[in-house]
Amino acid sequence: MNKYNNLEPFKDEGKTYRLRQWMNVVFILSALVGMGVYFWVSQTTGLYIVGAACVLKFIELTLRMMKL
C-alpha cells in the first residue's frame, strides 16, 4: 500500500517557507489597506497599493512554483 494518501496535505517545508508566509501576510494586509483607500480616499492610490500587493503575491507564487 502507498505510504502517502492523496488526501494528505502537501508537506511544504522548503527553504523559503517562512519568507513566503510573511509575504502572504503582507499581501493580505496591503490588499485590505488598498481596498480601503480605494473606497474611502482615492481610487488611483488604492489601485497602486493593490497593484503592488499583487506584484508581491506573484513573487511569492514564483518562489512556491520553483520549490525553493
Side-chain angles (χ1 to χ4, degrees), residues 40-53:
W40 289 298
V41 180
S42 167
Q43 289 183 346
T44 304
T45 306
L47 286 175
Y48 287 137
I49 294 171
V50 172

Side-chain angles (χ1 to χ4, degrees), residues 1-54:
M1 182 166 179
N2 190 0
K3 103 178 193 182
Y4 296 107
N5 186 341
N6 287 338
L7 299 177
E8 182 179 330
F10 175 70
K11 303 280 190 213
D12 183 14
E13 297 176 4
K15 293 181 279 185
T16 61
Y17 178 75
R18 292 187 59 80
L19 172 65
R20 291 189 297 108
Q21 293 304 313
W22 279 106
M23 290 175 80
N24 279 325
V25 169
V26 171
F27 162 72
I28 291 169
L29 293 176
S30 59
L32 289 173
V33 167
M35 287 177 18
V37 169
Y38 179 85
F39 286 115
W40 289 298
V41 180
S42 167
Q43 289 183 346
T44 304
T45 306
L47 286 175
Y48 287 137
I49 294 171
V50 172
C54 288

